[in-house]
Amino acid sequence: MSHNQVVQEFHPRVHEAITNPQIRANFRKAMDGLMDKRQLAFPSDDELQRTRELAAAIRLRALSKLPELLEKLEANLTANGVKVHWAETGDEACKIILDICNEKNAKSVIKGKSMVSEEMELNHYLEEHGIEALESDLGEYIVQLAEETPSHIIMPAIHKNTDQISDLMHEKTGTNKSRDVEYLTAEARQQLRERFEKADVGVSGVNFAVAETGTLCLVENEGNGRLTTTVPPVHIAVTGIEKVVENLEDVAPLLSLLTRSATGQHITTYFNMISSPRKEGELDGPEEVHLVLVDSGRSNIYQDDELLDTLRCIRCGACMNHCPVYTRIGGHAYGYTYPGPIGKILMPHLAGLDDAKDLPSASSLCGACGEVCPVKIPIPKLLVRLREESVAGDHNHDNSVVKGRGAKRKGMEPLIWKGWAKMHKHGGLYRTGTGLATVFRGLVPSNLGAWTNCRTAPKLAKTTLHQQMKARSQNNAASQKKDGGDQ
Ligand code: SF4
């Protein structure tokens, strides 16, 4: 389903999700578990805050020299024998991957987990061009069997419980129905293992791309990432341009925060570092390695000093796990590749505010996302900024780079706010305005559209605050005079 299709359905989708007890129960249980695991992984708040400071500084340093580091990354990867490609849009990235596949006469692609490939809808694109693309991450595999999209950036199938997965696997692959997670996992592994051997190309994501050494780091738990990047003769890694870090030393603190924030693990089962294709004399590894660096609106974000913080993200998912809105509506209700708080600040750039205008408003601004973010992205602040952009007049953020700004502006609203501001600047006008409002209070309707859908309409007082204070001071003066006379 394309972004444009889903965006029209944001409110009905949210309504459907919050009234679905199964979705609410699945997410509540899963998010509670993830929050507990994260808390246990950070027993010392001092250590957590110190590491967050360090990680934020590493990401800021990398972003501050992004163009230089990307050039360095390309030079070092090329020297290592990796072919580097640049894609301005998701479509361009799809085309690059298709061309590589066609050149190799590839008919089947096996994929490791990659949110950027979800963002560019790579599977559909390849299938439309006659190439089979199979997800090998267990969660992604389940989502693909269900013909759905991921509902969480770390745990794509978290919206499904064991019974639902068992029914799905039974229906689509003939697996016996079972509530035994180990059995279901072993079955999926068996089904996938055969496909690895036949795949012509492996496509993976990248967690960190190290400029200094030309190394692509990949974090995973299932071993499918290692198989994807080593078994097929061609490996194509695809990632956003912001994933670059300066040197190998930068990786350790980021990795530690990523895994602990995401799943409460101190380290994942697999950590892959890919620097080149198979070298002479080596027994395994692909004959060719490619890296596709995708922009897709990221360099636009990069031009804004405040919004630039969005690019610090290391995709741990902690902001989603702690978000009261995400926990209640789940990932699909958002209708975009990246749901939850990170999606609310990223998607308006990738899809444009005119499509994603509702996302920054789908937040209570409780601040939990900003507090848990391991790289200290001020998410609530960025949400407020994007809300402002969604109704912005020309005078606000004149140099703004946000696409589709002003998408939520309504004709009358700026006029009302202008009048309100003027009234507050002039005492006489203010008193006349509030006086008239109290006189004509009976004309205020009890139904104020969206405002009163979930609120009671405010009742205006019979007199203004100014009149009440004046009356009170007159009463006080009169009673003091009276008390003085009585003595
Ligand atoms: S915004 Fe922060 S908490 Fe959310 S996914 Fe990115 S790094 Fe993790």
Side-chain angles (χ1 to χ4, degrees):
M1 199 179 293
S2 79
H3 292 156
N4 287 345
Q5 275 171 293
V6 292
V7 78
Q8 303 303 336
E9 301 159 6
F10 181 71
H11 289 281
R13 271 172 180 272
V14 169
H15 190 259
E16 197 186 317
I18 47 179
T19 49
N20 182 330
Q22 187 67 65
I23 288 183
R24 291 191 65 165
N26 291 357
F27 274 93
R28 180 80 270 167
K29 187 167 171 237
M31 296 305 112
D32 282 352
L34 288 168
M35 285 195 288
D36 289 348
K37 284 181 184 164
R38 177 188 172 275
Q39 200 171 8
L40 288 172
F42 293 109
S44 156
D45 191 53
D46 274 359
E47 187 267 344
L48 167 62
Q49 299 313 336
R50 268 200 318 276
T51 323
R52 284 179 81 214
E53 289 289 344
L54 176 61
I58 289 171
R59 292 299 295 133
L60 278 173
R61 172 163 43 82
L63 290 173
S64 71
K65 350 175 158 172
L66 188 61
E68 179 197 322
L69 291 187
L70 283 169
E71 278 177 24
K72 207 180 211 181
L73 177 73
E74 180 181 27
N76 287 328
L77 279 169
T78 307
N80 293 346
V82 176
K83 294 180 185 162
V84 179
H85 311 259
W86 300 86
E88 207 174 314
T89 62
D91 285 349
E92 249 182 70
C94 284
K95 172 91 173 48
I96 291 168
I97 294 173
L98 178 68
D99 287 348
I100 300 170
C101 289
N102 284 340
E103 201 184 297
K104 298 288 155 196
N105 204 18
K107 291 285 166 258
S108 73
V109 165
I110 193 108
K111 282 186 65 222
K113 197 169 168 314
S114 156
M115 289 310 292
V116 174
S117 74
E118 292 287 343
E119 193 185 305
M120 55 203 233
E121 299 177 8
L122 178 64
N123 291 4
H124 284 156
Y125 185 89
L126 290 178
E127 267 153 31
E128 269 172 22
H129 290 83
I131 295 173
E132 187 194 37
L134 183 75
E135 296 288 348
S136 66
D137 172 89
L138 185 56
E140 291 278 357
Y141 179 60
I142 291 164
V143 161
Q144 192 176 31
L145 284 180
E147 294 171 39
E148 293 174 349
T149 51
S151 61
H152 190 284
I153 59 172
I154 296 289
M155 320 237 167
I158 199 108
H159 55 289
K160 291 197 182 297
N161 60 25
T162 312
D163 286 329
Q164 291 170 316
I165 293 169
S166 165
D167 289 348
L168 176 72
M169 287 181 68
H170 177 70
E171 189 200 325
K172 300 279 178 159
T173 66
T175 306
N176 291 334
K177 284 193 182 189
S178 170
R179 301 204 73 236
D180 181 352
V181 177
E182 303 252 324
Y183 165 76
L184 294 173
T185 310
E187 280 293 313
R189 184 176 293 136
Q190 189 54 39
Q191 290 157 16
L192 286 166
R193 193 53 72 115
E194 292 162 14
R195 309 290 285 274
F196 275 111
E197 286 158 20
K198 293 183 189 146
D200 301 308
V201 170
V203 171
S204 78
V206 175
N207 291 94
F208 311 109
V210 185
E212 188 188 63
T213 52
T215 307
L216 308 175
C217 303
L218 186 59
V219 181
E220 46 128 0
N221 271 316
E222 297 170 15
N224 68 307
R226 184 157 299 175
L227 288 170
T228 303
T229 57
T230 54
V231 176
V234 178
H235 168 215
I236 307 173
V238 54
T239 192
I241 53 170
E242 80 281 17
K243 290 286 181 71
V244 68
V245 294
E246 190 165 10
N247 51 49
L248 277 176
E249 277 164 29
D250 290 341
V251 173
L254 293 177
L255 175 64
S256 164
L257 278 175
L258 170 63
T259 59
R260 287 193 287 167
S261 303
T263 54
Q265 291 171 285
H266 283 268
I267 184 76
T268 42
T269 316
Y270 294 85
F271 179 63
N272 307 284
M273 298 173 84
I274 301 146
S275 295
S276 71
R278 184 197 304 191
K279 290 187 186 133
E280 222 181 294
E282 286 181 344
L283 293 179
D284 50 22
E287 291 150 21
E288 270 183 34
V289 178
H290 298 257
L291 172 67
V292 183
L293 286 160
V294 186
D295 185 321
S296 235
R298 287 161 172 86
S299 52
N300 233 17
I301 310 176
Y302 187 70
Q303 289 166 39
D304 188 298
D305 288 349
E306 190 179 27
L307 298 170
L308 166 76
D309 286 338
T310 312
L311 299 178
R312 278 193 233 168
C313 179
I314 54 171
R315 306 282 190 267
C316 71
C319 54
M320 299 156 72
N321 307 344
H322 291 75
C323 174
V325 177
Y326 176 85
T327 305
R328 278 160 187 81
I329 66 173
H332 287 152
Y334 292 85
Y336 287 98
T337 310
Y338 302 95
I342 178 59
K344 290 177 216 170
I345 57 170
L346 185 59
M347 286 316 307
H349 301 286
L350 304 193
L353 253 182
D354 23 15
D355 274 359
K357 59 183 177 296
D358 287 316
L359 295 186
S361 308
S363 165
S364 65
L365 294 182
C366 69
C369 49
E371 275 177 36
V372 296
C373 176
V375 285
K376 300 189 77 172
I377 300 176
I379 301 172
K381 189 173 143 209
L382 299 185
L383 284 172
V384 172
R385 164 76 193 276
L386 288 168
R387 285 181 186 188
E388 212 181 299
E389 294 281 349
S390 68
V391 292
D394 291 340
H395 58 289
N396 287 336
H397 300 292
D398 273 342
N399 299 321
S400 177
V401 297
V402 182
K403 283 189 286 174
R405 56 198 291 259
K408 278 192 107 172
R409 191 175 345 144
K410 302 220 168 71
M412 281 302 285
E413 212 170 304
L415 277 180
I416 294 171
W417 286 115
K418 257 187 197 160
W420 184 258
K422 197 162 196 155
M423 200 171 94
H424 276 75
K425 277 187 207 151
H426 300 92
L429 211 56
Y430 177 82
R431 278 191 291 279
T432 313
T434 49
L436 285 172
T438 54
V439 171
F440 294 107
R441 66 187 180 283
L443 300 178
V444 177
S446 57
N447 184 346
L448 293 173
W451 266 95
T452 44
N453 281 350
C454 52
R455 298 177 184 85
T456 312
K459 272 193 182 156
L460 292 184
K462 287 181 187 157
T463 50
T464 66
L465 183 64
H466 193 259
Q467 288 163 340
Q468 287 173 33
M469 296 310 290
K470 199 170 170 186
R472 186 187 286 187
S473 64
Q474 280 168 351
N475 285 345
N476 284 348
S479 57
Q480 272 169 11
K481 203 169 170 187
K482 186 168 172 282
D483 289 348
D486 288 348
Q487 277 168 14

mmCIF file of all heavy atoms in Angstrom, residues 2-3 47 49 59 79 89 101 104 110 119 141 144-145 152 156 198 262 270 277 359 374 393 396 412 422 425:
data_model
loop_
_atom_site.group_PDB
_atom_site.id
_atom_site.type_symbol
_atom_site.label_atom_id
_atom_site.label_comp_id
_atom_site.label_asym_id
_atom_site.label_seq_id
_atom_site.Cartn_x
_atom_site.Cartn_y
_atom_site.Cartn_z
ATOM 1 N N SER A 2 0.608 2.177 -0.889
ATOM 2 C CA SER A 2 1.484 3.352 -0.954
ATOM 3 C C SER A 2 1.125 4.346 0.139
ATOM 4 O O SER A 2 0.042 4.305 0.704
ATOM 5 C CB SER A 2 1.347 4.018 -2.319
ATOM 6 O OG SER A 2 0.174 4.781 -2.331
ATOM 7 N N HIS A 3 2.091 5.269 0.392
ATOM 8 C CA HIS A 3 1.851 6.289 1.414
ATOM 9 C C HIS A 3 0.593 7.082 1.138
ATOM 10 O O HIS A 3 -0.185 7.378 2.025
ATOM 11 C CB HIS A 3 3.043 7.242 1.468
ATOM 12 C CG HIS A 3 4.257 6.565 2.000
ATOM 13 N ND1 HIS A 3 5.504 6.991 1.713
ATOM 14 C CD2 HIS A 3 4.383 5.505 2.800
ATOM 15 C CE1 HIS A 3 6.377 6.207 2.321
ATOM 16 N NE2 HIS A 3 5.713 5.305 2.977
ATOM 17 N N GLU A 47 25.530 5.679 34.537
ATOM 18 C CA GLU A 47 26.191 5.095 33.353
ATOM 19 C C GLU A 47 25.354 5.360 32.115
ATOM 20 O O GLU A 47 25.875 5.704 31.045
ATOM 21 C CB GLU A 47 26.374 3.583 33.589
ATOM 22 C CG GLU A 47 27.195 2.873 32.532
ATOM 23 C CD GLU A 47 26.382 2.251 31.405
ATOM 24 O OE1 GLU A 47 25.153 2.082 31.555
ATOM 25 O OE2 GLU A 47 26.954 1.970 30.364
ATOM 26 N N GLN A 49 23.237 7.824 31.509
ATOM 27 C CA GLN A 49 23.295 9.230 31.065
ATOM 28 C C GLN A 49 24.654 9.568 30.459
ATOM 29 O O GLN A 49 24.735 10.286 29.467
ATOM 30 C CB GLN A 49 22.969 10.192 32.225
ATOM 31 C CG GLN A 49 21.572 10.014 32.826
ATOM 32 C CD GLN A 49 20.449 9.925 31.781
ATOM 33 O OE1 GLN A 49 20.559 10.408 30.661
ATOM 34 N NE2 GLN A 49 19.349 9.276 32.136
ATOM 35 N N ARG A 59 27.183 10.969 17.306
ATOM 36 C CA ARG A 59 26.281 11.153 16.165
ATOM 37 C C ARG A 59 26.342 12.606 15.655
ATOM 38 O O ARG A 59 26.331 12.841 14.456
ATOM 39 C CB ARG A 59 24.834 10.776 16.545
ATOM 40 C CG ARG A 59 24.601 9.322 16.811
ATOM 41 C CD ARG A 59 24.895 8.449 15.589
ATOM 42 N NE ARG A 59 23.996 8.724 14.490
ATOM 43 C CZ ARG A 59 24.392 8.904 13.227
ATOM 44 N NH1 ARG A 59 25.673 8.836 12.902
ATOM 45 N NH2 ARG A 59 23.517 9.149 12.278
ATOM 46 N N ALA A 79 38.312 1.219 -2.312
ATOM 47 C CA ALA A 79 39.660 0.646 -2.200
ATOM 48 C C ALA A 79 39.594 -0.808 -1.723
ATOM 49 O O ALA A 79 40.434 -1.633 -2.082
ATOM 50 C CB ALA A 79 40.492 1.484 -1.234
ATOM 51 N N THR A 89 16.635 9.150 -4.697
ATOM 52 C CA THR A 89 15.285 8.770 -4.243
ATOM 53 C C THR A 89 15.219 7.253 -4.044
ATOM 54 O O THR A 89 16.103 6.519 -4.508
ATOM 55 C CB THR A 89 14.236 9.137 -5.311
ATOM 56 O OG1 THR A 89 14.549 8.372 -6.500
ATOM 57 C CG2 THR A 89 14.248 10.610 -5.645
ATOM 58 N N CYS A 101 20.832 -6.831 -10.319
ATOM 59 C CA CYS A 101 20.219 -8.168 -10.428
ATOM 60 C C CYS A 101 20.170 -8.609 -11.893
ATOM 61 O O CYS A 101 20.511 -9.753 -12.220
ATOM 62 C CB CYS A 101 18.802 -8.159 -9.858
ATOM 63 S SG CYS A 101 18.765 -8.015 -8.077
ATOM 64 N N LYS A 104 23.367 -9.701 -13.332
ATOM 65 C CA LYS A 104 23.787 -11.030 -12.860
ATOM 66 C C LYS A 104 22.786 -12.113 -13.264
ATOM 67 O O LYS A 104 22.886 -13.254 -12.810
ATOM 68 C CB LYS A 104 23.906 -11.018 -11.315
ATOM 69 C CG LYS A 104 24.934 -10.060 -10.793
ATOM 70 C CD LYS A 104 26.322 -10.577 -11.087
ATOM 71 C CE LYS A 104 27.312 -9.431 -11.148
ATOM 72 N NZ LYS A 104 28.566 -9.781 -11.783
ATOM 73 N N ILE A 110 17.373 -12.886 -1.585
ATOM 74 C CA ILE A 110 17.040 -13.143 -0.177
ATOM 75 C C ILE A 110 17.416 -11.891 0.600
ATOM 76 O O ILE A 110 18.455 -11.280 0.346
ATOM 77 C CB ILE A 110 17.743 -14.413 0.366
ATOM 78 C CG1 ILE A 110 17.144 -14.831 1.714
ATOM 79 C CG2 ILE A 110 19.244 -14.249 0.499
ATOM 80 C CD1 ILE A 110 16.313 -16.036 1.668
ATOM 81 N N GLU A 119 11.158 1.255 3.203
ATOM 82 C CA GLU A 119 10.844 2.639 2.852
ATOM 83 C C GLU A 119 10.699 2.782 1.326
ATOM 84 O O GLU A 119 9.825 3.473 0.835
ATOM 85 C CB GLU A 119 12.045 3.450 3.356
ATOM 86 C CG GLU A 119 11.924 4.912 3.424
ATOM 87 C CD GLU A 119 13.304 5.482 3.845
ATOM 88 O OE1 GLU A 119 13.851 5.077 4.885
ATOM 89 O OE2 GLU A 119 13.828 6.337 3.126
ATOM 90 N N TYR A 141 9.617 -12.223 7.718
ATOM 91 C CA TYR A 141 9.077 -13.385 6.986
ATOM 92 C C TYR A 141 7.580 -13.547 7.297
ATOM 93 O O TYR A 141 6.757 -13.756 6.406
ATOM 94 C CB TYR A 141 9.876 -14.623 7.406
ATOM 95 C CG TYR A 141 9.441 -15.926 6.771
ATOM 96 C CD1 TYR A 141 9.463 -16.083 5.391
ATOM 97 C CD2 TYR A 141 9.026 -17.000 7.560
ATOM 98 C CE1 TYR A 141 9.082 -17.290 4.803
ATOM 99 C CE2 TYR A 141 8.649 -18.202 6.995
ATOM 100 C CZ TYR A 141 8.670 -18.345 5.617
ATOM 101 O OH TYR A 141 8.281 -19.539 5.046
ATOM 102 N N GLN A 144 5.656 -10.822 5.688
ATOM 103 C CA GLN A 144 5.551 -11.055 4.241
ATOM 104 C C GLN A 144 4.514 -12.141 3.946
ATOM 105 O O GLN A 144 3.718 -12.010 3.013
ATOM 106 C CB GLN A 144 6.920 -11.462 3.678
ATOM 107 C CG GLN A 144 6.960 -11.435 2.156
ATOM 108 C CD GLN A 144 8.340 -11.737 1.593
ATOM 109 O OE1 GLN A 144 9.111 -12.487 2.183
ATOM 110 N NE2 GLN A 144 8.636 -11.153 0.445
ATOM 111 N N LEU A 145 4.503 -13.194 4.770
ATOM 112 C CA LEU A 145 3.489 -14.246 4.573
ATOM 113 C C LEU A 145 2.083 -13.656 4.712
ATOM 114 O O LEU A 145 1.161 -14.028 4.004
ATOM 115 C CB LEU A 145 3.645 -15.354 5.629
ATOM 116 C CG LEU A 145 4.787 -16.357 5.466
ATOM 117 C CD1 LEU A 145 4.754 -17.364 6.608
ATOM 118 C CD2 LEU A 145 4.707 -17.087 4.127
ATOM 119 N N HIS A 152 6.653 -2.466 13.631
ATOM 120 C CA HIS A 152 7.656 -1.980 14.583
ATOM 121 C C HIS A 152 8.993 -2.057 13.860
ATOM 122 O O HIS A 152 9.203 -2.974 13.067
ATOM 123 C CB HIS A 152 7.648 -2.876 15.832
ATOM 124 C CG HIS A 152 8.464 -2.371 16.985
ATOM 125 N ND1 HIS A 152 9.836 -2.453 17.015
ATOM 126 C CD2 HIS A 152 8.105 -1.796 18.159
ATOM 127 C CE1 HIS A 152 10.280 -1.947 18.167
ATOM 128 N NE2 HIS A 152 9.249 -1.537 18.879
ATOM 129 N N PRO A 156 9.149 -6.576 13.566
ATOM 130 C CA PRO A 156 8.137 -6.273 12.534
ATOM 131 C C PRO A 156 6.777 -6.933 12.762
ATOM 132 O O PRO A 156 5.758 -6.385 12.360
ATOM 133 C CB PRO A 156 8.778 -6.810 11.249
ATOM 134 C CG PRO A 156 10.215 -7.037 11.564
ATOM 135 C CD PRO A 156 10.344 -7.240 13.028
ATOM 136 N N LYS A 198 19.534 -21.196 -2.727
ATOM 137 C CA LYS A 198 19.158 -20.958 -4.130
ATOM 138 C C LYS A 198 19.243 -19.487 -4.528
ATOM 139 O O LYS A 198 19.176 -19.165 -5.714
ATOM 140 C CB LYS A 198 17.719 -21.432 -4.348
ATOM 141 C CG LYS A 198 17.574 -22.941 -4.219
ATOM 142 C CD LYS A 198 16.148 -23.355 -4.510
ATOM 143 C CE LYS A 198 15.957 -24.820 -4.171
ATOM 144 N NZ LYS A 198 14.647 -25.113 -3.674
ATOM 145 N N ALA A 262 17.006 -1.410 22.568
ATOM 146 C CA ALA A 262 16.048 -2.086 21.690
ATOM 147 C C ALA A 262 15.426 -3.304 22.357
ATOM 148 O O ALA A 262 14.198 -3.437 22.421
ATOM 149 C CB ALA A 262 16.750 -2.501 20.403
ATOM 150 N N TYR A 270 24.659 -11.912 16.814
ATOM 151 C CA TYR A 270 25.583 -11.718 15.687
ATOM 152 C C TYR A 270 25.898 -10.235 15.526
ATOM 153 O O TYR A 270 25.004 -9.390 15.658
ATOM 154 C CB TYR A 270 24.962 -12.205 14.365
ATOM 155 C CG TYR A 270 24.744 -13.690 14.324
ATOM 156 C CD1 TYR A 270 23.579 -14.241 14.856
ATOM 157 C CD2 TYR A 270 25.690 -14.539 13.765
ATOM 158 C CE1 TYR A 270 23.367 -15.607 14.833
ATOM 159 C CE2 TYR A 270 25.481 -15.910 13.737
ATOM 160 C CZ TYR A 270 24.319 -16.445 14.268
ATOM 161 O OH TYR A 270 24.112 -17.788 14.242
ATOM 162 N N PRO A 277 34.485 -7.884 -0.673
ATOM 163 C CA PRO A 277 34.029 -9.183 -1.172
ATOM 164 C C PRO A 277 35.029 -10.271 -0.747
ATOM 165 O O PRO A 277 36.057 -9.957 -0.137
ATOM 166 C CB PRO A 277 34.042 -9.007 -2.695
ATOM 167 C CG PRO A 277 34.440 -7.612 -2.975
ATOM 168 C CD PRO A 277 34.978 -7.005 -1.731
ATOM 169 N N LEU A 359 0.709 13.313 11.514
ATOM 170 C CA LEU A 359 1.620 12.575 12.394
ATOM 171 C C LEU A 359 2.152 13.410 13.564
ATOM 172 O O LEU A 359 2.113 12.958 14.708
ATOM 173 C CB LEU A 359 2.787 11.981 11.596
ATOM 174 C CG LEU A 359 2.415 10.904 10.570
ATOM 175 C CD1 LEU A 359 3.671 10.296 9.971
ATOM 176 C CD2 LEU A 359 1.573 9.817 11.196
ATOM 177 N N PRO A 374 18.406 6.927 23.105
ATOM 178 C CA PRO A 374 19.812 6.752 23.486
ATOM 179 C C PRO A 374 20.744 7.806 22.893
ATOM 180 O O PRO A 374 21.853 7.975 23.385
ATOM 181 C CB PRO A 374 20.151 5.354 22.943
ATOM 182 C CG PRO A 374 19.165 5.101 21.880
ATOM 183 C CD PRO A 374 17.915 5.819 22.277
ATOM 184 N N GLY A 393 2.668 30.159 8.494
ATOM 185 C CA GLY A 393 2.500 31.223 7.511
ATOM 186 C C GLY A 393 3.871 31.534 6.939
ATOM 187 O O GLY A 393 4.879 30.981 7.387
ATOM 188 N N ASN A 396 6.915 32.412 9.334
ATOM 189 C CA ASN A 396 7.550 31.447 10.236
ATOM 190 C C ASN A 396 8.615 30.652 9.505
ATOM 191 O O ASN A 396 8.370 30.117 8.441
ATOM 192 C CB ASN A 396 6.516 30.457 10.782
ATOM 193 C CG ASN A 396 5.613 31.103 11.791
ATOM 194 O OD1 ASN A 396 5.990 32.090 12.402
ATOM 195 N ND2 ASN A 396 4.424 30.565 11.933
ATOM 196 N N MET A 412 -9.345 30.710 7.956
ATOM 197 C CA MET A 412 -9.741 31.638 9.023
ATOM 198 C C MET A 412 -8.742 31.661 10.188
ATOM 199 O O MET A 412 -8.654 32.652 10.904
ATOM 200 C CB MET A 412 -11.116 31.219 9.587
ATOM 201 C CG MET A 412 -12.305 31.643 8.736
ATOM 202 S SD MET A 412 -12.325 33.425 8.523
ATOM 203 C CE MET A 412 -12.886 33.934 10.135
ATOM 204 N N LYS A 422 -3.433 40.925 18.483
ATOM 205 C CA LYS A 422 -3.629 42.381 18.481
ATOM 206 C C LYS A 422 -4.386 42.798 19.743
ATOM 207 O O LYS A 422 -4.049 43.780 20.416
ATOM 208 C CB LYS A 422 -4.415 42.774 17.228
ATOM 209 C CG LYS A 422 -4.317 44.240 16.910
ATOM 210 C CD LYS A 422 -4.712 44.509 15.478
ATOM 211 C CE LYS A 422 -4.196 45.892 15.152
ATOM 212 N NZ LYS A 422 -3.977 46.107 13.801
ATOM 213 N N LYS A 425 -2.357 43.007 22.807
ATOM 214 C CA LYS A 425 -1.351 44.076 22.841
ATOM 215 C C LYS A 425 -1.973 45.413 23.233
ATOM 216 O O LYS A 425 -1.282 46.357 23.552
ATOM 217 C CB LYS A 425 -0.692 44.194 21.465
ATOM 218 C CG LYS A 425 0.419 43.197 21.255
ATOM 219 C CD LYS A 425 1.117 43.497 19.939
ATOM 220 C CE LYS A 425 1.735 42.257 19.361
ATOM 221 N NZ LYS A 425 1.814 42.285 17.917
#
